[in-house]
Amino acid sequence: MTAADRFRAAVDSRDPTALEDLFTEDVRFYSPVKFTPFEGRPMVLGLLGVLLRTFADFRYVGRFDGAAQTGTDGTESPSAALLFRATVKGKEIHGIDLLHFDDDGRIKEFTVMVRPQSAVHVLSEAVLAGLVADGLVPAPSDH
């Protein structure tokens, strides 16, 4: 079973604890709603916990394997693109999870791309609320 298979199985079973050993300590998570990446295993695991709660009817619908340059250091690494569909607050989302692996098969970089724009906005609000509720980020100030 590949690292992409293990990741997909953990997500399919909605088991955040099964994800822990799949990431490097310094994993970077590139979100469609934030310019800078979320960094480090604890933050990425916390974010994935929020996402697992936020998405309704989440399902993977396809997969492509290959190699791609990472955004972190520009090196080419084994990669997998997992295509998904989900619903957030009534909005259907189409997306791709792009996973880059290190030499040990752990995920070192994770990029999520989603469409359409209206769903990105709804997803952004829902994820921010979850991150604040879990104490992972401070509440935004009104001024």
Side-chain angles (χ1 to χ4, degrees), residues 9-126:
V11 171
D12 286 347
S13 68
R14 302 289 194 267
D15 183 5
T17 58
L19 294 168
E20 289 181 27
D21 293 334
L22 299 180
F23 295 103
T24 61
E25 285 293 328
D26 60 349
V27 61
R28 287 178 171 223
F29 183 102
Y30 292 91
S31 162
V33 299
K34 183 175 179 277
F35 183 74
T36 58
F38 293 91
E39 297 186 64
R41 186 186 295 164
M43 176 56 84
V44 170
L45 288 171
L47 175 60
L48 286 173
V50 170
L51 288 170
L52 288 175
R53 292 193 317 264
T54 301
F55 284 126
D57 191 29
F58 184 93
R59 66 211 176 277
Y60 284 113
V61 297
R63 174 175 163 179
F64 298 95
D65 293 297
Q69 287 185 349
T70 66
T72 306
D73 58 15
T75 60
E76 190 170 280
S77 69
S79 304
L82 303 176
L83 289 69
F84 66 86
R85 300 285 188 267
T87 306
V88 175
K89 296 191 175 187
K91 296 274 187 186
E92 183 168 325
I93 292 178
H94 297 190
I96 297 171
D97 287 342
L98 178 57
L99 310 174
H100 294 280
F101 305 101
D102 71 1
D103 293 337
D104 296 324
R106 291 180 300 155
I107 300 165
K108 65 179 180 177
E109 191 172 289
F110 188 147
T111 302
V112 177
M113 292 172 268
V114 297
R115 64 156 305 279
Q117 179 63 35
S118 59
V120 174
H121 182 70
V122 170
L123 177 62
S124 174
E125 290 177 347

